[in-house]
């Protein structure tokens, strides 16, 4: 019997500097300037940070460059939880000239980069505490709970 080898879990990306983070977002989002990428980062992280509990927010912030961590933790938790779609709609409403489509692009661009920095275990814990609709914003097809390293692989 041929045994299929499971791929190694993705490891977190090495830490980025503030400038590298901005340039990554600028490249991934195809933004014309650093200033535009910076505005997108600030807008998305501030809105998303309000959806996190204090523990998840602090843990996720520790995986980010200093300026991004400050944006994520700048505001206190929102009074009510928003689904992923509601977060995108909220960002579109509060961003001059934005549509839901551009807000979705901006949110996905920032959060997929955050996902790479956080790594799969932290990302799974964060997604577990969020309402529906966030996995796709992080570039995940669905929420996958990581298996403990000691569990046997299924046959």
């Amino acid at each position: 019997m041929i045994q299929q080898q499971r791929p190694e879990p993705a490891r977190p990306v090495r830490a980025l500097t503030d400038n590298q983070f901005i340039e990554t977002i600028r490249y991934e989002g195809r933004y014309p300037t650093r200033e535009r990428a910076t505005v997108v980062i600030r807008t998305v992280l501030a809105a998303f940070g309000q959806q996190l509990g204090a523990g998840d927010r602090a843990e996720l912030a520790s995986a980010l460059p200093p300026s991004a961590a400050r944006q994520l933790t700048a505001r206190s938790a929102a009074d009510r939880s928003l689904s992923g779609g509601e977060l995108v709609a909220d960002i579109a409403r509060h961003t001059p000239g934005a549509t839901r489509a551009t807000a979705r692009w901006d949110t996905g661009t920032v959060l997929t980069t955050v996902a790479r920095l956080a790594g799969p275990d932290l990302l799974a814990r964060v997604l577990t505490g969020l309402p529906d609709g966030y996995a796709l914003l992080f570039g995940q097809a669905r929420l996958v709970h990581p298996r403990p390293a000691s569990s046997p692989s299924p046959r």
Side-chain angles (χ1 to χ4, degrees):
M1 176 190 309
I2 298 175
Q3 192 174 14
Q4 288 186 326
Q5 191 173 19
R6 288 181 31 205
E8 285 291 316
R11 290 182 178 24
V13 174
R14 67 175 174 78
L16 296 178
T17 65
D18 288 327
N19 286 332
Q20 290 169 327
F21 186 74
I22 293 166
E23 285 303 318
T24 298
I25 298 300
R26 181 179 177 197
Y27 177 79
E28 296 290 329
R30 292 164 180 71
Y31 300 111
T33 64
R34 286 179 53 87
E35 292 74 21
R36 176 68 184 134
T38 301
V39 168
V40 166
I41 292 166
R42 183 180 322 121
T43 302
V44 170
L45 290 180
F48 176 65
Q50 291 184 289
Q51 298 304 307
L52 298 171
D56 285 343
R57 187 176 18 212
E59 195 171 358
L60 193 55
S62 71
L64 300 177
S67 66
R70 282 191 300 277
Q71 292 302 321
L72 185 73
T73 59
R75 298 180 187 168
S76 59
D79 293 333
R80 83 174 184 91
S81 295
L82 301 176
S83 70
E86 290 170 328
L87 175 72
V88 169
D90 188 59
I91 289 172
R93 270 192 307 278
H94 293 97
T95 304
T99 64
R100 280 185 76 131
T102 60
R104 167 63 178 90
W105 178 266
D106 294 346
T107 305
T109 298
V110 173
L111 295 184
T112 55
T113 302
V114 168
R116 287 194 304 268
L117 292 171
D121 293 340
L122 175 55
L123 179 60
R125 286 194 306 275
V126 167
L127 285 172
T128 299
L130 291 169
D132 290 337
Y134 281 89
L136 285 174
L137 296 174
F138 280 96
Q140 306 294 304
R142 61 190 161 105
L143 176 58
V144 177
H145 297 284
R147 292 176 197 241
S150 62
S151 26
S153 57
R155 293 182 186 205

